[in-house]
Amino acid sequence: MPVELAVTLIRAVNTHTLTREEIDALLQTEGEQAKALYRAADQVRAEHLGEEVHLRAIIEFSNYCVRNCLYCGLRRDNRLLTRYRMAPEEILAAARQARDEGYWSIVLQSGEDPAYTVDDLAGLIQRIKEKLDVAVTLSLGDRSRDDYRRLRDAGANRYLLKHETADPALFARLRPGTTLERRLQELRWLEELGYQVGAGNMIGLPGQTVETLVSDILLLKDLCVEMAGIGPFIPHPDTPLATSPAGSLEMTLKVLAITRLLLPHTHLPATTAVATLDPAGRRRALQAGANVVMPDLTPAPYRQHYDIYPGRGRPAGEGAASFAWWEREMAAIGRKVAIGYGHILRDDGFHGVVDGHRRPC
Ligand code: SAH
Ligand code: SF4
């Protein structure tokens, strides 16, 4: 390995800083050099977060969407998709099932679906928080500041709103009718409202350059996010990007690893997309900086219709909804499943019950 690269990695492990040029060089590494990057990220993860992997049970409660994102199978113009909406009672039942399984943390995700009013959602969150002892993450896309406030007041702890790409022109092209500027504004609102905030991006979007990925990583550092979902783009046959190639696993792992070097306390999931791309993807992500897994607890028959990209599915069929299955899976790679809500403590102490984590940066 060139001495320069070794020095860069040692400094990044110790100071969590990298210049644009250094990030660019790390993204171009291959073979043994890329492995050294993954090892450095794994070291930072072990040092700051230990061997614990947080499980977040995701419930995808509606696949209706008013948006028309060029990359996504749920886009409005995809007429081939069977649409569904779960009733609040069904969502509550799915959350209870997740809690009964042993999960302490649930994620409610959907397309952008205004059929659920803010009152509906706030009522649902309130009931979940009253009846079940779980942390609640929302991933519902763009909403007004007032809606975000109402949902936070109802008890939501976290909000996952990926910035998708740090290139404003690419963002506007891939997400018609929306802007990166507005998304960044929303991320600031969420932060102000006391949510633990998650952003993140896709790797391998058509029109994306290495330079864009450097900006993605620096943006995550700048925002000092508490979560970052980093996953490959996977083409969906019923979208305008059907013939574009998928993002590469290696590039995804490099972006993930560099993000870990810069953000030692941030929750970084081994995304479902990375597991979809390659059977070894999840394990490799967990050994390149990731410390979170998001098992899909969406009940049948809905789960198969949450077709954001093809090939999503449980790694070992039905078994993979179970907490015990994940305990075994993590033990096999020398890790253990975390018990508790998996909060990060911020300086303002806003998040109430904490598990001894420090601020992400
Ligand atoms: N509607 C909400 C949440 C559902 S989409 C939202 O857009 O925020 C959740 C995530 O799926 C998006 O943030 C995007 O990064 C990812 N996604 C969508 N289409 C994808 C594709 N073709 N390949 C990989 N990830 C995709
Ligand atoms: Fe809708 Fe989200 Fe898919 Fe865009 S990415 S079409 S907002 S579900």
Side-chain angles (χ1 to χ4, degrees), residues 103 172 236 283 351:
Y103 295 95
H236 188 295
R283 178 184 50 76
H351 302 302

Side-chain angles (χ1 to χ4, degrees), residues 81-94:
L81 185 69
T82 304
R83 304 278 173 172
Y84 70 87
R85 279 189 184 108
M86 288 168 64
E89 279 310 317
E90 288 178 291
I91 304 170
L92 181 63

Side-chain angles (χ1 to χ4, degrees), residues 188-249:
R188 276 191 294 273
W189 287 339
L190 292 164
E191 164 93 37
E192 282 163 22
L193 291 166
Y195 283 94
Q196 296 172 45
V197 176
N201 61 298
M202 279 179 277
I203 316 301
L205 289 167
Q208 184 183 64
T209 61
V210 172
E211 193 56 23
T212 316
L213 292 173
V214 178
S215 301
D216 281 319
I217 295 167
L218 288 171
L219 178 60
L220 292 170
K221 172 83 174 173
D222 232 35
L223 292 169
C224 180
V225 284
E226 279 127 337
M227 291 183 285
I230 294 166
F233 157 70
I234 298 176
H236 188 295
D238 306 321
T239 65
L241 301 184
T243 58
S244 300
S248 91
L249 175 61

Side-chain angles (χ1 to χ4, degrees), residues 65 67 69 71-72 74-75 111-112 175:
C65 192
R67 295 271 185 233
C69 305
Y71 43 76
C72 178
L74 305 194
R75 65 198 304 272
E112 282 187 30
R175 301 183 47 89

Side-chain angles (χ1 to χ4, degrees), residues 71-72 109-111 139 141 162 164 202 232-234 306 308-309:
Y71 43 76
C72 178
Q109 194 181 78
S110 67
S139 178
K162 290 168 68 172
E164 314 294 1
M202 279 179 277
F233 157 70
I234 298 176
Y306 200 76
I308 289 186
Y309 49 80

Side-chain angles (χ1 to χ4, degrees), residues 145-164:
R145 190 184 196 282
D146 199 50
D147 281 6
Y148 291 140
R149 186 183 56 75
R150 300 259 327 265
L151 301 175
R152 172 79 188 130
D153 289 347
N157 302 92
R158 313 186 179 120
Y159 205 103
L160 184 53
L161 187 71
K162 290 168 68 172
H163 71 272
E164 314 294 1

Side-chain angles (χ1 to χ4, degrees), residues 129-349:
K129 295 295 287 191
E130 269 164 25
K131 292 178 190 300
L132 309 171
D133 186 21
V134 289
V136 172
T137 302
L138 303 178
S139 178
L140 316 174
D142 300 325
R143 290 251 165 192
S144 68
R145 190 184 196 282
D146 199 50
D147 281 6
Y148 291 140
R149 186 183 56 75
R150 300 259 327 265
L151 301 175
R152 172 79 188 130
D153 289 347
N157 302 92
R158 313 186 179 120
Y159 205 103
L160 184 53
L161 187 71
K162 290 168 68 172
H163 71 272
E164 314 294 1
T165 174
D167 174 345
L170 186 59
F171 186 102
R173 192 158 74 242
L174 295 179
R175 301 183 47 89
T178 71
T179 63
L180 178 62
E181 194 187 358
R182 161 84 189 192
R183 185 139 286 211
L184 295 178
Q185 173 71 69
E186 290 170 350
L187 286 166
R188 276 191 294 273
W189 287 339
L190 292 164
E191 164 93 37
E192 282 163 22
L193 291 166
Y195 283 94
Q196 296 172 45
V197 176
N201 61 298
M202 279 179 277
I203 316 301
L205 289 167
Q208 184 183 64
T209 61
V210 172
E211 193 56 23
T212 316
L213 292 173
V214 178
S215 301
D216 281 319
I217 295 167
L218 288 171
L219 178 60
L220 292 170
K221 172 83 174 173
D222 232 35
L223 292 169
C224 180
V225 284
E226 279 127 337
M227 291 183 285
I230 294 166
F233 157 70
I234 298 176
H236 188 295
D238 306 321
T239 65
L241 301 184
T243 58
S244 300
S248 91
L249 175 61
E250 296 303 328
M251 188 55 98
T252 305
L253 294 174
K254 285 186 270 186
V255 174
L256 173 72
I258 298 167
T259 305
R260 170 56 73 215
L261 292 176
L262 295 181
L263 290 163
H265 300 112
T266 292
H267 286 306
L268 298 179
T271 54
T272 308
V274 100
T276 303
L277 201 60
D278 187 313
R282 179 175 287 118
R283 178 184 50 76
R284 292 194 60 201
L286 287 167
Q287 294 172 338
N291 72 321
V292 174
V293 173
M294 295 167 73
D296 189 350
L297 275 267
T298 308
Y302 304 122
R303 194 186 321 130
Q304 60 179 308
H305 301 304
Y306 200 76
D307 189 23
I308 289 186
Y309 49 80
R312 299 169 81 256
R314 286 182 180 163
E318 291 306 303
S322 102
F323 200 81
W325 187 88
W326 285 102
E327 286 182 313
R328 285 194 297 277
E329 217 24 37
M330 293 303 106
I333 56 166
R335 304 282 279 277
K336 59 173 187 260
V337 168
I339 302 297
Y341 309 107
H343 291 320
I344 284 184
L345 173 60
R346 294 201 314 199
D347 286 350
D348 56 13

